[in-house]
Amino acid sequence: MNGCLAHTRAFHAVKINLCGVLSQRVLLSLAGNRATQSPGGAWNQAVLAYFCRTRISDAVNIRATLKTIIYTPDPHLRNPRKLFREMLADLLLSRQLAFQLALRDIRAQYRQSLLGFLWMIALPLANALIWILLKNSGVVALADVAIPYALFALSGTLLWSVFTDATLSPIAQLMGSKHVLVKINFPAEAIFLSGIYQTVLHAGIKTLILFTAWCSFGLSLHWSWLLFPLAVLALILVGTTLGMLLTPVGMLYSDIQKVLPLVLQLLMFATPVVFAVPAGSWAAKLFAWNPLTPLFLTGRHWLSGQEAEELYSFVVVCSLALIFLLVVWVAFRLAKPIIVERIGT
Amino acid sequence: MSEILISADKVSKKFCRDLRTSLRYGICDLLAAYTGMSNRTGQVLRDKEFWAVKDVSFEVRRGECLGLIGHNGSGKSTLLKMLNGLLRPDTGRIEMRGRVGALIELGAGFNPVLTGRENIFNNGALLGMSRLNVRNKMEEIVEFSELGEFIDSPVSFYSSGMRMRLGFSIAVHSDPDILLLDEVLAVGDLGFTLKCYNKMDELQQKTAMVFVSHSMPKIARMCTGIVVMNAGCSINPSFDVSAGISKYYDAQHFAPGQRFDSGVAELVGIALRSGEHVSQPGEIFELCEGESLDILLTLKLHRPVQNPKLWLVFLDREQRGFAEIGNFDKFHTGPLSPGPFSCSVVLGKLSLNPGLYSITLGLHEEAVSGRNQLLRIQSAVYFKVNGKKQGWVPIQIDTRWQFS
């Protein structure tokens, strides 16, 4: 009888041991799955090793031990190094999840709709059409522009829709994943990243449409077209920064989400979207101070092959936006547990 | 001893009762977080705040399962959310070692338009599984959920039980070191629920579990330790499962008896007797473990009853019957005439586990047309058995052991 008991114990020990190995494998696959899969694996492993603060050969051993998470009420800002390490690690972890979420959203968005992708460009197209009609009928008098007005208006409204998409995306994505956010602990960076992926995809399609329209007007190709996507990305960058800046308060109070479309509508008239920068009035000053102005001007210049006069401001705006993005990212991370606590289920 | 995977040390969390005030505090907390100041208000309650969880400490090792029980709003889910890192504790410290799988709500993150299979990828990713990992486990997950060809239908066509099947299958296949379960198995049918518990038994050897449930038999089945929550505080420092369960029951108030009365018969009195001691109407009769118990009944009939059958059922605290007395017709044959009618049931020595029990009684008449119910009184009388706690099942069989 005793022997039998001992045997069972031994069996359990083996089983537990086996489980340990299993969970190690899971951890490995969690942390380094892509490392063994993709060609960028070496890089990934190097990054992981850096975060584990060891040499590459040690990275695997580190990952094989159990990861310990400690939750305390101490403020995160006390330990900025740890904060930044966690931020980057979460960003790395969330790439695949973000891709999955973006795929989910795009599929779901178009599966339940007949016109599908057409909805994406319906609004900017209609917007452009209204302005073309307004100008041609003479209801509003607009200063002449260097390119055909229809293209001017279309490029403006398409770029503007990229910017508003990017601005509205962070808070809309977060609100949409509210129920998941309070139930499952996952890197929230994935939500933003998935929003960016979707915005980029939509922006790409819009760019293609714009190029097609451009060619259908019989205008010549220019090498600076290749730079045009940079302007689109810059708009997404600025839009995302602005959008993420509003998330902490916007998640608590619904006012932000309500007022944002209105503010964007007003902002459109202070940006060279459907008309050129007015000269010599108080409005000119407003345009000059608007950080979006150089982005639109440069984008259009690249499109039409003109000299990009605002390139310097363009670079300044982008660099500032990048720095701010980092700051609002930290701000969001600090705010996340507070938001989750206050929005409840 | 296996390693400690979860340790909570004097963990507290406060909540606000009022939404507007809560949002204002949220803004204050945001400012405090941004300035990096230690949250001075963390230790004390502000206006309209209360402790949802207060000074709870425990440890769970690999292979152990901790039950979290308590009535609604006692802080179980809040505690679980803190363990999962969704909420930050206001005081104390939580240490979690290993990969955490949490089923706070099944099917959180399901997109209704997408198919079950697509949702497996999404939810798996949310739970931290890689795409490759999900693909490898896909067949296993689909098979475990028993959804068959419905797996390629949109989730919005699923019943709540089917969603739960899918959600549970994904979560248990994510190979967690720590599994947090919040009362999720309530909607499954019996077969699947049992399958889930078997799966959890299988997982238990390699994981540390925290399990929230209101079903004491399930708690007793799964758990190696228990925390009973009451108004945010843990009220059993010993973690002993049986003692914890009876603490939980003590904190519940029991419902008064429901009666069914056809107007033919009425219960005039029911009393319990143990030796010389007879119960007063309305009191909870107390007796000691191993003492004898008799039931004294007085009924009044308003018409003659052919082939009467009087029956009694013993119920535990969850109103589950565990013993029945149905041999009335062995001792009484023929009709009962109108008027008062008294009898006593001699039970003798009872081997009941200490705890609170009640007796439901009923009277029906066997007629040619079928069974005719005349009287039924749910939990007509309560009694409490005092003694040393033994287990969690009502009947303790006093048996003989032989050794060869």
Side-chain angles (χ1 to χ4, degrees):
Chain A
M1 201 151 191
N2 258 341
C4 179
L5 200 72
H7 176 254
T8 325
R9 270 207 193 126
F11 174 67
H12 269 278
V14 169
K15 230 171 172 181
I16 287 167
N17 223 337
L18 195 73
C19 302
V21 174
L22 269 178
S23 58
Q24 277 183 12
R25 237 189 56 204
V26 172
L27 268 174
L28 273 174
S29 67
L30 169 79
N33 176 278
R34 290 182 76 100
T36 51
Q37 297 295 313
S38 63
W43 183 80
N44 268 331
Q45 207 152 27
V47 175
L48 254 160
Y50 170 76
F51 291 121
C52 299
R53 313 178 105 222
T54 49
R55 285 173 295 119
I56 292 176
S57 56
D58 289 339
V60 173
N61 293 333
I62 289 288
R63 271 181 274 140
T65 61
L66 289 177
K67 186 181 156 201
T68 305
I69 320 167
I70 296 166
Y71 303 114
T72 58
D74 297 332
H76 289 299
L77 273 185
R78 284 279 170 80
N79 195 346
R81 286 172 76 103
K82 188 170 158 247
L83 181 70
F84 281 108
R85 256 212 318 277
E86 283 176 359
M87 278 166 70
L88 277 167
D90 271 356
L91 189 66
L92 279 179
L93 269 178
S94 62
R95 282 176 312 167
Q96 206 176 6
L97 175 58
F99 178 75
Q100 191 65 41
L101 291 178
L103 207 64
R104 175 193 77 174
D105 287 351
I106 291 166
R107 275 186 185 151
Q109 216 171 333
Y110 296 116
R111 193 163 294 179
Q112 222 180 7
S113 123
L114 282 176
L115 295 177
F117 274 81
L118 277 184
W119 285 116
M120 195 174 61
I121 50 161
L123 193 72
L125 274 185
N127 211 347
L129 210 63
I130 290 168
W131 282 92
I132 294 166
L133 284 175
L134 282 177
K135 185 179 155 65
N136 286 356
S137 63
V139 175
V140 290
L142 296 176
D144 279 334
V145 286
I147 51 175
Y149 182 72
L151 284 179
F152 184 90
L154 189 65
S155 60
T157 52
L158 281 176
L159 282 177
W160 183 254
S161 77
V162 170
F163 171 72
T164 51
D165 270 6
T167 312
L168 296 173
S169 163
I171 202 162
Q173 290 283 331
L174 264 188
M175 289 308 262
S177 349
K178 208 163 99 169
H179 56 289
V180 191
L181 208 61
V182 297
K183 297 275 160 58
I184 303 178
N185 190 6
F186 64 100
E189 281 75 14
I191 298 177
F192 295 124
L193 212 53
S194 127
I196 293 172
Y197 286 170
Q198 291 173 60
T199 312
V200 168
L201 173 76
H202 291 173
I205 294 171
K206 285 168 187 168
T207 309
L208 285 181
I209 287 169
L210 191 58
F211 284 176
T212 319
W214 196 271
C215 293
S216 66
F217 266 74
L219 294 171
S220 61
L221 285 160
H222 199 275
W223 67 267
S224 63
W225 273 26
L226 297 176
L227 290 172
F228 183 71
L230 277 182
V232 175
L233 289 178
L235 279 171
I236 295 176
L237 172 69
V238 175
T240 305
T241 308
L242 182 63
M244 275 182 75
L245 173 72
L246 300 172
T247 47
V249 179
M251 286 297 281
L252 293 179
Y253 290 100
S254 58
D255 306 52
I256 300 278
Q257 224 188 345
K258 292 207 171 84
V259 84
L260 197 53
L262 183 71
V263 172
L264 286 176
Q265 192 77 50
L266 290 175
L267 187 62
M268 193 182 100
F269 293 105
T271 314
V273 175
V274 287
F275 40 77
V277 178
S281 65
W282 59 269
K285 266 199 189 117
L286 196 65
F287 274 67
W289 280 104
N290 183 351
L292 293 172
T293 305
L295 304 189
F296 274 82
L297 291 180
T298 311
R300 272 215 192 86
H301 286 155
W302 279 335
L303 198 60
S304 62
Q306 290 167 295
E307 181 78 28
E309 296 150 359
E310 302 273 342
L311 200 59
Y312 176 69
S313 322
F314 179 89
V315 173
V316 170
V317 168
C318 288
S319 329
L320 282 178
L322 260 179
I323 295 166
F324 271 119
L325 185 64
L326 198 65
V327 173
V328 294
W329 183 15
V330 173
F332 173 77
R333 269 191 87 90
L334 297 178
K336 192 195 154 201
I338 297 169
I339 293 170
V340 169
E341 178 184 335
R342 300 292 162 182
I343 55 180
T345 43
Chain B
M1 272 294 213
S2 48
E3 67 222 294
I4 295 171
L5 294 189
I6 308 173
S7 86
D9 183 28
K10 285 193 173 297
V11 173
S12 305
K13 182 81 207 166
K14 55 191 180 173
F15 275 144
C16 183
R17 283 193 187 86
D18 181 68
L19 180 67
R20 266 186 183 276
T21 321
S22 166
L23 292 178
R24 203 180 65 218
Y25 289 154
I27 298 286
C28 296
D29 293 348
L30 275 180
L31 289 176
Y34 290 156
T35 47
M37 300 203 303
S38 83
N39 205 346
R40 277 174 290 111
T41 50
Q43 311 283 333
V44 289
L45 290 180
R46 293 171 282 192
D47 187 29
K48 290 184 185 162
E49 279 187 330
F50 65 98
W51 290 109
V53 173
K54 181 77 179 145
D55 289 340
V56 177
S57 308
F58 54 83
E59 278 175 355
V60 189
R61 292 167 187 276
R62 198 187 283 281
E64 288 183 342
C65 176
L66 183 81
L68 268 184
I69 56 177
H71 60 83
N72 300 132
S74 58
K76 306 181 296 290
S77 295
T78 307
L79 188 54
L80 214 56
K81 281 186 178 176
M82 280 196 281
L83 293 180
N84 196 14
L86 292 166
L87 298 177
R88 236 161 54 125
D90 282 323
T91 69
R93 176 190 167 93
I94 295 173
E95 214 173 306
M96 306 283 281
R97 302 189 64 228
R99 195 165 135 72
V100 183
L103 273 81
I104 305 283
E105 188 183 280
L106 283 174
F110 277 166
N111 187 302
V113 184
L114 301 183
T115 67
R117 201 179 289 276
E118 286 167 322
N119 270 303
I120 292 180
F121 277 106
N122 298 335
N123 226 333
L126 279 174
L127 295 173
M129 295 167 84
S130 72
R131 228 182 135 74
L132 183 84
N133 200 351
V134 177
R135 201 169 296 142
N136 289 340
K137 295 221 164 125
M138 180 58 91
E139 282 319 304
E140 224 177 306
I141 294 173
V142 173
E143 198 181 313
F144 187 86
S145 69
E146 297 170 14
L147 285 171
E149 53 200 24
F150 282 105
I151 199 70
D152 290 312
S153 304
V155 167
S156 54
F157 294 174
Y158 285 17
S159 69
S160 56
M162 286 161 82
R163 271 173 220 224
M164 172 256 170
R165 279 164 177 256
L166 191 60
F168 186 84
S169 303
I170 301 170
V172 292
H173 285 94
S174 67
D175 284 319
D177 290 300
I178 297 172
L179 190 61
L180 309 173
L181 295 161
D182 191 355
E183 186 81 290
V184 285
L185 297 172
V187 290
D189 56 43
L190 184 63
F192 191 73
T193 310
L194 289 179
K195 192 173 165 185
C196 291
Y197 281 107
N198 287 336
K199 183 76 190 175
M200 279 155 67
D201 283 341
E202 191 188 315
L203 279 179
Q204 179 155 18
Q205 298 166 353
K206 50 180 170 175
T207 54
M209 285 193 206
V210 178
F211 181 52
V212 171
S213 181
H214 290 291
S215 161
M216 292 311 120
K218 279 163 191 163
I219 288 280
R221 181 191 190 287
M222 295 293 308
C223 296
T224 52
I226 207 167
V227 166
V228 188
M229 302 282 290
N230 189 20
C233 302
S234 163
I235 51 171
N236 70 319
S238 69
F239 304 109
D240 178 61
V241 176
S242 313
I245 289 177
S246 85
K247 272 240 163 77
Y248 167 79
Y249 281 134
D250 288 343
Q252 307 283 322
H253 51 87
F254 49 85
Q258 295 292 311
R259 54 178 64 216
F260 168 85
D261 199 338
S262 66
V264 174
E266 65 179 283
L267 179 71
V268 178
I270 179 166
L272 301 174
R273 185 178 61 195
S274 177
E276 300 292 295
H277 186 43
V278 181
S279 73
Q280 298 301 310
E283 74 160 354
I284 295 174
F285 186 65
E286 295 196 27
L287 70 157
C288 289
E289 196 179 11
E291 280 184 337
S292 68
L293 183 71
D294 301 337
I295 306 165
L296 314 171
L297 291 170
T298 309
L299 286 98
K300 194 174 171 189
L301 301 177
H302 297 291
R303 68 160 169 82
V305 176
Q306 305 294 328
N307 299 325
K309 189 163 182 187
L310 192 60
W311 51 265
L312 298 152
V313 173
F314 286 76
L315 305 174
D316 67 3
R317 297 225 211 193
E318 292 198 18
Q319 297 277 297
R320 251 182 333 227
F322 63 89
E324 195 171 348
I325 301 171
N327 60 351
F328 179 76
D329 43 4
K330 251 192 189 169
F331 292 84
H332 186 282
T333 43
L336 280 173
S337 48
F341 156 75
S342 291
C343 61
S344 59
V345 187
V346 183
L347 288 165
K349 219 177 113 179
L350 282 179
S351 46
L352 290 181
N353 192 41
L356 185 73
Y357 302 97
S358 65
I359 299 168
T360 290
L361 91 164
L363 173 69
H364 56 77
E365 157 178 54
E366 302 281 355
V368 186
S369 55
R371 181 171 284 187
N372 189 9
Q373 187 159 334
L374 302 176
L375 182 74
R376 181 194 157 93
I377 297 170
Q378 185 77 24
S379 297
V381 66
Y382 280 89
F383 67 96
K384 192 174 177 189
V385 179
N386 295 322
K388 206 170 132 262
K389 196 81 208 170
Q390 293 181 10
W392 47 276
V393 175
I395 294 178
Q396 296 294 322
I397 302 175
D398 197 9
T399 184
R400 276 202 324 262
W401 293 70
Q402 289 182 337
F403 303 93
S404 52

